[in-house]
Amino acid sequence: MITTTGLTKVYRSRGRETAALDGVDLHVREGEVYGVVGRSGAGKSTLIRCVNLLERPTSGTVQVAGEDLTSLPGSALRAARSRIGMVFQHFNLLSSRTVQDNVELPLEILGVSGKERSRKALELLDLVGLSDKGKAYPAQLSGGQKQRVGIARALAGDPKVLLSDEATSALDPETTRSILQLLRDLNEQLGLTVLLITHEMDVVKAICDSAALMKDGRIVESGKVTDLLATPGSELAHELFPVGGRPSGEDSTVVDLTFHGEAATEPVISQLSRTYNIDISVLGAALETIAGRQVGRMRIELPGRFEDNVVPIGFLREKGLQVDVAPVGKPADSNNDSLVKEAVK
Ligand SMILES: Nc1ncnc2c1ncn2[C@@H]1O[C@H](COP(=O)(O)OP(=O)(O)OP(=O)(O)O)[C@@H](O)[C@H]1O
Ligand SMILES: [Mg+2]
């Protein structure tokens, strides 16, 4: 539904150049909720603004629903853009207009008749749970209600794609949950593809099918959330699912275990301990449901260096667990020592 190829954006101001996007290839499938995460300044907002061409990319192409937006002339681009809804962090409602008139605004611009505009706006307000607020003004609404109006307005042009830049970051946790649920419901009911930016991993866990991590204008990791969790050394997986814990001794091996579905680690850990007569410390563990699947992680510490633990690690792998090994003192996710990884495969 959304594909960007080699997208770059260079800002030039006061003689300085900033490469906000540096060759971004993004692929968002139809009907999925896709989250983009990353530190402040990573280029997330620039990316989303380039997807609907609010911002002209310096180079690269943007395709939405099979149409190359970057090659469209002005009028065709405006038409294509009206089929891409956008939700903003600070709602961007017009304070002088009623809620209903705010929702009607994009339809007015499209030249839709008054009667049809009103019918559509009331239908959308009902969809977002605000059917009784049409005559109210934005100032009379709570933050969560304002964002519902923002979402209704974004849906006015019957978009196939909804873009959201930190739509919940001005809201309290409970309101955030209700807005996220609304986005997920719209995704399911309308088959809407949602591309959202967030700095909260909980948002990704709650509603995203896929996610990408941005750093310095690049996508450094991306994929389905469940696949990322099964990817050795995935930074996103660790962020989504931190198991923490530092080793107690210098001379020990830290191992991160990931298991899916019914696989239970408990018996495996005690079998390991008995079979090899070693003491195992559990440094951290967590069990969560992600995209409807149970995923567990556990970080354990084995006595002795990595070389001493090749056989126990092989045992864990044979039991069907995903095993990531970290050198002493470093968490497994920051382990780029491919030699260690190759050696234990
Ligand atoms: N209009 C602009 N002019 C010049 N530089 C800009 C402009 N917009 C963004 N930048 C720069 O581009 C880089 C990426 O900015 P962007 O707003 O995309 O980051 P972000 O990931 O959305 O950050 P945040 O999480 O803080 O919203 C930053 O270094 C920023 O300073
Ligand atoms: Mg931003």
Side-chain angles (χ1 to χ4, degrees):
M1 183 55 74
I2 304 173
T3 302
T4 75
T5 314
L7 206 61
T8 69
K9 176 72 192 181
V10 180
Y11 289 111
R12 291 184 182 83
S13 63
R14 288 190 227 106
R16 277 190 43 203
E17 288 198 346
T18 311
L21 297 180
D22 184 9
V24 172
D25 297 328
L26 177 77
H27 300 282
V28 181
R29 276 176 284 258
E30 181 169 5
E32 71 176 348
V33 178
Y34 194 110
V36 178
V37 299
R39 295 233 167 102
S40 186
K44 307 180 297 294
S45 296
T46 306
L47 173 61
I48 217 163
R49 288 199 304 261
C50 280
V51 167
N52 67 358
L53 259 67
L54 277 177
E55 199 92 70
R56 261 281 149 197
T58 308
S59 63
T61 60
V62 178
Q63 286 190 7
V64 177
E67 204 168 23
D68 182 356
L69 301 191
T70 27
S71 69
L72 291 181
S75 56
L77 176 59
R78 275 191 295 280
R81 210 186 259 146
S82 74
R83 295 190 292 274
I84 305 173
M86 178 125 182
V87 192
F88 304 88
Q89 179 179 2
H90 297 294
F91 326 127
N92 294 7
L93 302 179
L94 297 179
S95 57
S96 61
R97 283 180 160 235
T98 63
V99 163
Q100 183 176 337
D101 288 347
N102 265 283
V103 178
E104 286 188 26
L105 182 64
L107 298 170
E108 262 175 63
I109 295 168
L110 288 173
V112 176
S113 75
K115 201 168 152 209
E116 173 57 18
R117 285 201 311 261
S118 167
R119 188 199 63 75
K120 184 76 188 177
L122 293 173
E123 178 191 306
L124 289 168
L125 286 172
D126 190 38
L127 189 65
V128 300
L130 287 182
S131 43
D132 56 336
K133 295 287 182 197
K135 299 274 181 288
Y137 284 87
Q140 296 167 311
L141 303 182
S142 69
Q145 289 169 332
K146 284 181 195 162
Q147 195 55 291
R148 284 171 188 268
V149 178
I151 292 169
R153 181 185 56 189
L155 297 176
D158 290 324
K160 286 179 151 287
V161 169
L162 188 70
L163 307 177
S164 157
D165 191 350
E166 306 264 11
T168 58
S169 55
L171 305 173
D172 62 63
E174 206 182 316
T175 312
T176 292
R177 271 193 293 280
S178 77
I179 293 291
L180 293 177
Q181 191 54 51
L182 174 63
L183 290 177
R184 188 80 225 188
D185 290 347
L186 294 170
N187 158 262
E188 284 165 9
Q189 283 171 25
L190 310 175
L192 197 66
T193 304
V194 180
L195 175 62
L196 63 86
I197 290 174
T198 182
H199 62 272
E200 292 163 279
M201 285 295 168
D202 282 347
V203 171
V204 176
K205 261 195 255 188
I207 67 164
C208 293
D209 302 298
S210 298
L213 173 64
M214 283 193 80
K215 272 187 191 174
D216 299 330
R218 295 198 188 100
I219 290 181
V220 293
E221 260 185 33
S222 64
K224 288 195 173 168
V225 174
T226 44
D227 291 345
L228 287 168
L229 287 172
T231 305
S234 162
E235 200 169 323
L236 264 175
H238 183 70
E239 294 272 341
L240 280 167
F241 213 154
V243 284
R246 292 266 151 194
S248 53
E250 275 286 287
D251 210 16
S252 65
T253 303
V254 175
V255 176
D256 281 350
L257 306 173
T258 306
F259 50 99
H260 295 272
E262 299 304 301
T265 50
E266 282 292 340
V268 177
I269 301 294
S270 57
Q271 277 171 26
L272 178 71
S273 177
R274 269 185 277 121
T275 308
Y276 299 100
N277 194 25
I278 48 179
D279 290 328
I280 297 165
S281 317
V282 175
L283 301 176
L287 185 67
E288 292 202 40
T289 304
I290 294 184
R293 265 175 90 192
Q294 266 213 337
V295 184
R297 277 204 159 185
M298 184 180 276
R299 174 168 288 181
I300 60 172
E301 182 181 9
L302 307 175
R305 288 193 308 226
F306 163 69
E307 293 84 359
D308 309 322
N309 283 299
V310 172
V311 175
I313 287 167
F315 172 90
L316 291 169
R317 290 223 163 94
E318 266 169 33
K319 294 288 175 187
L321 298 176
Q322 182 197 313
V323 183
D324 283 317
V325 184
V328 175
K330 277 194 198 166
D333 49 87
S334 66
N335 169 23
N336 287 319
D337 190 340
S338 54
L339 283 178
V340 172
K341 283 195 172 153
E342 280 311 311
V344 295
K345 261 185 190 158

